[in-house]
Amino acid sequence: MHFIDTHTHLYLDEFESDRHQVINRAIAKSIKRFLLPNIDAASVESMLQLCHDFPDNCFPMLGLHPTSVKEDWKLQLKEFEELLAVNPGKFIAIGEIGLDFYWDKSFEAQQLQALRTQFDWAKKLDLPVAIHTRAAFPQMLEEIAKAQDGNLKGVLHCFTGTLEEAQKAIELGFLLGIGGVLTYKKSTLPEILETIELKHLILETDAPFLPPVPYRGKRNESAYLIETALKLATIKNLSLDEIAAQTTQNANHLFKLNPL
Ligand SMILES: [Zn+2]
């Protein structure tokens, strides 16, 4: 049995002092692969360093996070476009990209432009996208629908929408990334996931953010993925083995990773 943490920021400063222990702790709990979504131009180096240290376990994505879309967004995208061109096959996805109107709407138009550009890259390079959406779900579904020509695929990371939104995303060819929110007392996700087939789901932590119960308030890490997997097993009335097998298969397929 093994799992894939499909969205984890283990290269961030929060893991500065114990990054390798964090990874080894997760591996000891059968979480064997770590898919690393990029944030901005400044995070690329530490992300690639970690992939260099753990070449069999860590896999990098490349993209500009919506909250990092500021005045210099075009320059950052240009840098990424060059990185993608000179490193064919290095990055497993375009991510994380998306729309975030929760804190700040002043770059709304630029966020939309950056998203569309990065959708184009993903389709051109035949890579999946890892999407972050906050306070922008209807717009995101609209953007995916507009971009979907049969060649766009990806995951809505940290999915927390409604059942209708889940169904719409699946219809548009997307998987749902399920993280610690599933374990929260007030979460409506457990009820929603009862009716969503396991073949549409992949697991993630979004570490160091959004820790599952019983680690709320602490730094999240990839080993805690097990808590989310256990909760999903209960909801689906399946064994942990079955959850591992199907979600791992889904992730390997989407990100085109060789089965372990
Ligand atoms: Zn993230």
Side-chain angles (χ1 to χ4, degrees), residues 7 9 37 65 96 132 157 206 209:
H7 193 111
H9 299 277
H65 193 287
E96 64 185 283
H132 166 110
H157 126 73
D206 201 19
F209 315 109

Side-chain angles (χ1 to χ4, degrees), residues 4 6 35 155 175-179 198-204 246-252 254-255:
I4 302 180
T6 62
L35 313 189
V155 56
L175 298 185
L176 310 179
I178 305 300
L198 198 55
K199 67 178 181 189
H200 303 300
L201 308 179
I202 55 178
L203 296 174
E204 61 168 67
Q246 179 75 60
T247 57
T248 296
Q249 189 190 321
N250 298 345
N252 282 337
L254 178 64
F255 295 101

Side-chain angles (χ1 to χ4, degrees), residues 66-135:
T67 59
S68 294
V69 173
K70 305 284 182 205
E71 288 82 359
D72 66 344
W73 69 278
K74 278 191 178 168
L75 265 176
Q76 295 211 48
L77 286 192
K78 193 162 179 279
E79 201 176 316
F80 291 172
E81 209 169 3
E82 284 163 13
L83 267 175
L84 288 165
V86 298
N87 295 288
K90 189 177 189 79
F91 299 97
I92 58 161
I94 301 297
E96 64 185 283
I97 61 175
L99 299 173
D100 190 322
F101 302 145
Y102 185 76
W103 297 110
D104 184 7
K105 281 190 91 170
S106 49
F107 287 92
E108 187 174 346
Q110 291 88 342
Q111 281 193 31
L112 278 162
Q113 286 182 62
L115 178 72
R116 290 168 189 158
T117 299
Q118 294 179 96
F119 274 170
D120 286 343
W121 295 351
K123 291 193 284 186
K124 196 177 80 188
L125 298 169
D126 193 24
L127 290 173
V129 291
I131 293 184
H132 166 110
T133 308
R134 198 165 183 204

Side-chain angles (χ1 to χ4, degrees), residues 4-175:
I4 302 180
D5 187 350
T6 62
H7 193 111
T8 180
H9 299 277
L10 296 173
Y11 55 83
L12 290 179
D13 285 347
E14 282 87 342
F15 299 103
E16 174 106 63
S17 63
D18 62 349
R19 192 168 283 127
H20 289 199
Q21 287 104 296
V22 165
I23 290 187
N24 288 323
R25 267 203 293 276
I27 290 173
K29 291 228 166 185
S30 300
I31 297 121
K32 300 272 173 68
R33 281 173 165 170
F34 311 90
L35 313 189
L36 309 179
N38 187 53
I39 293 170
D40 55 25
S43 60
V44 174
E45 196 186 325
S46 53
M47 178 183 68
L48 291 182
Q49 180 61 49
L50 191 57
C51 294
H52 176 83
D53 294 345
F54 289 89
D56 297 328
N57 309 93
C58 292
F59 301 87
M61 306 183 197
L62 193 65
L64 184 61
H65 193 287
T67 59
S68 294
V69 173
K70 305 284 182 205
E71 288 82 359
D72 66 344
W73 69 278
K74 278 191 178 168
L75 265 176
Q76 295 211 48
L77 286 192
K78 193 162 179 279
E79 201 176 316
F80 291 172
E81 209 169 3
E82 284 163 13
L83 267 175
L84 288 165
V86 298
N87 295 288
K90 189 177 189 79
F91 299 97
I92 58 161
I94 301 297
E96 64 185 283
I97 61 175
L99 299 173
D100 190 322
F101 302 145
Y102 185 76
W103 297 110
D104 184 7
K105 281 190 91 170
S106 49
F107 287 92
E108 187 174 346
Q110 291 88 342
Q111 281 193 31
L112 278 162
Q113 286 182 62
L115 178 72
R116 290 168 189 158
T117 299
Q118 294 179 96
F119 274 170
D120 286 343
W121 295 351
K123 291 193 284 186
K124 196 177 80 188
L125 298 169
D126 193 24
L127 290 173
V129 291
I131 293 184
H132 166 110
T133 308
R134 198 165 183 204
F137 220 94
Q139 294 99 316
M140 179 53 76
L141 287 176
E142 205 177 295
E143 288 301 315
I144 294 173
K146 266 195 270 176
Q148 188 54 279
D149 56 0
N151 295 310
L152 188 65
K153 56 195 180 300
V155 56
L156 291 170
H157 126 73
C158 188
F159 178 79
T160 51
T162 64
L163 177 59
E164 291 69 33
E165 288 167 338
Q167 286 164 339
K168 187 83 206 290
I170 290 165
E171 264 170 48
L172 286 165
F174 275 66
L175 298 185

